[in-house]
Amino acid sequence: MASNAPVGKPTDMSAPHMPKVAGIDSTVPGPPHTTAPLSGVPAAAAPSEPVSPPGALIQDRLATWVSDLTTLHELTERLIRTASLDEALREVLGAGSALVGARRGMAVLEPADGLGPASTIGLGLAHAELGTIETVPCGAGHYGRLLDGLPDPVRTEQAPERIPDPIAIRDVRTEEGLDPRHREVAARLGYAASYALPLATEEAGRLGAAVWLYDEPAEPTDRQRHLIGLYGRFATEHLARLLQVERARVQVATIAEELLPSRLPRVPGVQLAARHRTGPRGGGDWYDALPLPEGALGLAVGSVSGTGPSALAAMGRLRASLRAYAVMEGEDPVAVLSDLELLLRLTEPARSATALFAYAEPAQRRIVLAGAGHAPPLVIGERRTEFVETSLSAPLGMLSCWEAPSVELSPAPGETVLLYTDGLLRRTGDAMDRAFARLHAAASSVPRADRGDPGAVADHVLRTLLPEGLDTAVDGEDVVLLAARFE
């Protein structure tokens, strides 16, 4: 089993040695590739035939060294442009396929700390074929032995864990000690050899393993192993960084969900539905619906400036304060927002927020609402789809004293009032006037069969306005929709 360490030094060079770059050893022999390299990436050059003049031999070796450096540079540049774990794993499989000369492969992400996420990505393998490979007992498979032997990230400096060597199986049919199930799966999927590489470093610990499958008996040469070993160490560090980002994103999203209502109240005369999508860095958008005395209902949406944990904490404090003010004086939305503005200005003078609060009486189908720097609600019904005309107002915390007039509306039976945050508009990537026009068009196109369900109305607007999901180019923007259908 070969190691990824460089093998030997040139002995016929009389000039001073060139400095080692990125661990490349120019003496590792170069094999021909059995698969086409990735598009746009130069393949590692095969060594030239030895020639008698020593100078020509040196030039050939230097040319091979430069070619390897160029190949690794191109591949690592492509890798660092990936922004998600699945995307990075696919890039690793493609790059490894070009480096070791295999057509198919799979990567398994399984962090040793058990905190996840765990996933399996294939190259040239269908989902069913990946499942077939996973039926091989873990300790007998290509990657199972690596995963069993990879170290946990918790180590001591006195006794660091050793990263296991890659595992090469030159011929599945003749390899000694293979589990019969392994040979059976290989015959069914049509591969004859494999090369498994641990995705682990002493710094990152165990993240997983990658395996490439050959259609015929074969194994990487020393030079190929050396190159894939260097690339694999870089890829592991990149995957470790993406893993930290993904875990942080999941934690932020979990906190945001916990700060929002776990369920919406049931109030006679109105049906409620909410949709919340957290942005990449976690913003401070929120919604709320709370029953009030005498069968009334308070509806609110808002957004706190900033992103990350601090914005989430501020959002939680603001939402809790608004609930208290709504219980005490909810029938006057202007008073509710005025109190909220005073609290924000006194306790968090460096922060601003937008908010919209509506006091609804479902039995009378009457709504009184006030907004502070917030987008106007939409009324969606059989005969109309229109924005509610609200007065222009600055966000909370922007003026020394906030106050704006409220507006009153009376939804017809079967109409849905849609409240939303600015993130829905910003996620489109359009100018605000264009985004408002697209939102109106999306609401107008709700199918007749879906208009009786506020959740279906919200889903249709999301799908139509953001057909490709959240635009990741707009960092930190959450999306919130709160739909209330009046009977």
Side-chain angles (χ1 to χ4, degrees):
M1 200 171 303
S3 170
N4 289 328
V7 289
K9 293 288 182 181
T11 58
D12 54 352
M13 298 177 65
S14 57
H17 287 193
M18 297 287 288
K20 183 178 290 186
V21 180
I24 294 294
D25 188 339
S26 60
T27 64
V28 181
H33 280 286
T34 60
T35 186
L38 298 179
S39 60
V41 178
S48 304
E49 293 295 328
V51 292
S52 52
L57 180 60
I58 293 173
Q59 289 180 357
D60 288 342
R61 288 178 174 174
L62 288 177
T64 300
W65 188 13
V66 171
S67 175
D68 291 346
L69 282 173
T70 302
T71 299
L72 285 179
H73 174 74
E74 293 287 345
L75 293 175
T76 53
E77 282 290 316
R78 292 172 60 138
L79 179 62
I80 62 176
R81 288 195 291 268
T82 58
S84 68
L85 287 170
D86 283 358
E87 184 183 2
L89 288 173
R90 288 189 175 89
E91 181 62 34
V92 168
L93 285 176
S97 174
L99 290 174
V100 303
R103 186 172 61 89
R104 294 179 290 174
M106 63 183 292
V108 179
L109 182 68
E110 190 176 303
D113 57 15
L115 300 178
S119 64
T120 301
I121 301 295
L123 172 69
L125 294 171
H127 183 72
E129 293 173 319
L130 291 175
T132 301
I133 293 176
E134 290 175 342
T135 63
V136 177
C138 189
H142 318 275
Y143 58 89
R145 283 179 284 172
L146 288 180
L147 294 179
D148 288 344
L150 291 180
D152 189 276
V154 179
R155 304 174 303 277
T156 62
E157 295 183 0
Q158 292 77 10
E161 297 281 359
R162 178 180 176 273
I163 303 298
D165 294 325
I167 297 176
I169 301 178
R170 177 174 177 77
D171 192 337
V172 174
R173 295 169 298 181
T174 61
E175 183 79 12
E176 296 181 358
L178 282 188
D179 188 280
R181 179 60 181 167
H182 192 164
R183 301 185 200 275
E184 178 185 342
V185 169
R188 179 182 301 180
L189 299 184
Y191 67 85
S194 65
Y195 184 73
L197 180 75
L199 297 176
T201 64
E202 291 184 0
E203 294 76 16
R206 184 195 85 185
L207 298 186
V211 59
W212 290 273
L213 309 177
Y214 296 89
D215 296 338
E216 299 176 355
E219 63 179 336
T221 64
D222 288 342
R223 177 163 168 260
Q224 286 177 316
R225 296 184 192 219
H226 183 55
L227 291 177
I228 191 61
L230 293 172
Y231 179 82
R233 287 194 288 273
F234 179 88
T236 301
E237 296 297 332
H238 180 66
L239 288 170
R241 291 189 289 270
L242 292 179
L243 182 64
Q244 292 177 349
V245 172
E246 175 63 17
R247 287 178 174 177
R249 187 196 67 77
V250 171
Q251 290 173 353
V252 167
T254 301
I255 294 173
E257 292 298 331
E258 291 296 326
L259 290 173
L260 296 174
S262 58
R263 62 178 183 175
L264 296 173
R266 293 185 177 181
V267 177
V270 65
Q271 294 177 308
L272 299 175
R275 299 293 183 264
H276 178 235
R277 303 290 185 269
T278 303
R281 295 188 299 172
D285 287 16
W286 51 277
Y287 67 92
D288 205 352
L290 67 158
L292 297 175
E294 300 179 358
L297 176 69
L299 302 174
V301 293
S303 177
V304 176
S305 61
T307 58
S310 64
L312 289 175
M315 177 265 282
R317 293 190 294 268
L318 201 68
R319 173 176 170 265
S321 300
L322 186 142
R323 290 176 71 92
Y325 297 143
V327 170
M328 293 186 295
E329 48 191 3
E331 68 280 359
D332 186 357
V334 173
V336 171
L337 293 186
S338 296
D339 291 343
L340 196 64
E341 193 277 335
L342 179 61
L343 176 70
L344 185 69
R345 181 159 45 87
L346 293 178
T347 59
E348 301 186 60
R351 195 179 295 278
S352 64
T354 64
L356 187 146
F357 178 73
Y359 177 81
E361 295 175 301
Q364 289 76 34
R365 292 196 303 277
R366 174 177 174 269
I367 299 177
V368 181
L369 63 87
H374 211 76
L378 258 175
V379 178
I380 305 170
E382 292 290 341
R383 298 185 177 182
R384 62 171 176 169
T385 299
E386 61 187 24
F387 290 102
V388 177
E389 293 186 6
T390 58
S391 58
L392 296 176
S393 171
L396 302 176
M398 299 294 289
L399 301 176
S400 58
C401 181
W402 180 90
E403 185 169 341
S406 61
V407 297
E408 182 176 331
L409 66 146
S410 298
E415 288 188 332
T416 297
V417 178
L418 183 67
L419 311 182
Y420 53 93
T421 59
D422 291 345
L424 178 65
L425 303 172
R426 299 186 187 280
R427 282 287 180 183
T428 64
D430 294 332
M432 292 304 288
D433 56 344
R434 171 64 177 163
F436 273 117
R438 288 183 57 187
L439 174 58
H440 186 275
S444 301
S445 65
V446 175
R448 183 182 298 271
D450 291 341
R451 294 187 179 237
D453 181 358
V457 171
D459 289 336
H460 177 84
V461 169
L462 272 177
R463 287 194 307 267
T464 306
L465 204 60
L466 306 174
E468 298 180 0
L470 298 186
D471 181 6
T472 56
V474 187
D475 288 338
E477 292 287 349
D478 288 4
V479 171
V480 165
L481 292 91
L482 178 60
R485 181 183 182 273
F486 289 82
E487 298 175 354

